[in-house]
Amino acid sequence: MKTFTCLFFVLFVLALPVVAAAHGTDYSLVMEEQVIAVKFFYSDKEPMRYSEVLIFSPENNEVEYQNGRTDQEGRFAFCPNKPGMWGIKVNDGMGHAVNTTITVNPLTVPGEKTPNVTQKKKNLFAESSMWLRIFFGLSLLLNIFWGLQTWKGNHK
């Protein structure tokens, strides 16, 4: 009789409905925080699509604050949690990279339309005129040609 009672109790407990406690999901729109969006592109203005992005806070330039990839248009957005110099490293995995910093100033008005950001540009070649880029390209080709001719002349 004792075995039958234990078996009945076990079957009764197993038959009870159990509420599963799983993690749910939800979302919220970020409208009141300062959002910084940056667009990355090559010198021919083609977007750096799906490139790896590392964001470094003013406090730590070794461990990233955020990481991810650019979108199809070469854009990446993040929400800084404090003012200061934020480091950004972008790498497309094919030898092209951007390494820059931006200064995030304190947000004075929540929901400000224009981000309160200043940046330090480091890629002067992409900003240079078309004639200067043509000159550097021709110079590179002539130097390669001259180097090959010199090497060929030394081996005769």
Side-chain angles (χ1 to χ4, degrees):
M1 184 71 174
K2 199 174 191 181
T3 306
F4 179 72
T5 307
C6 285
L7 182 63
F8 177 75
F9 179 74
V10 168
L11 290 175
F12 178 74
V13 169
L14 291 175
L16 289 176
V18 178
V19 177
H23 292 284
T25 59
D26 203 357
Y27 72 95
S28 67
L29 294 176
V30 178
M31 301 289 282
E32 297 177 10
E33 295 181 31
Q34 186 175 21
V35 177
I36 307 297
V38 187
K39 186 172 184 174
F40 301 97
F41 49 89
Y42 299 105
S43 59
D44 64 354
K45 305 300 183 208
E46 185 72 23
M48 290 179 71
R49 294 180 172 98
Y50 312 114
S51 297
E52 178 185 35
V53 180
L54 303 174
I55 305 291
F56 296 92
S57 74
E59 297 174 336
N60 191 341
N61 60 358
E62 293 180 13
V63 178
E64 67 264 17
Y65 171 82
Q66 183 178 342
N67 60 44
R69 295 205 172 267
T70 60
D71 67 4
Q72 184 177 3
E73 300 299 319
R75 298 173 300 206
F76 187 81
F78 69 101
C79 299
N81 61 354
K82 62 182 50 103
M85 298 288 288
W86 287 77
I88 302 175
K89 293 183 180 181
V90 182
N91 189 336
D92 70 354
M94 296 182 293
H96 300 98
V98 175
N99 187 4
T100 189
T101 59
I102 61 170
T103 303
V104 176
N105 299 320
L107 185 61
T108 55
V109 181
E112 186 177 341
K113 298 241 190 271
T114 57
N116 198 0
V117 174
T118 56
Q119 76 174 25
K120 256 191 337 186
K121 285 212 176 253
K122 291 187 178 178
N123 190 353
L124 297 176
F125 186 74
E127 299 279 322
S128 62
S129 73
M130 181 182 66
W131 292 110
L132 187 58
R133 287 185 282 180
I134 290 171
F135 172 76
F136 281 125
L138 290 173
S139 174
L140 178 65
L141 292 174
L142 289 173
N143 281 311
I144 290 172
F145 178 74
W146 175 77
L148 288 173
Q149 290 297 323
T150 304
W151 181 74
K152 188 176 172 184
N154 288 340
H155 281 67
K156 282 187 176 183

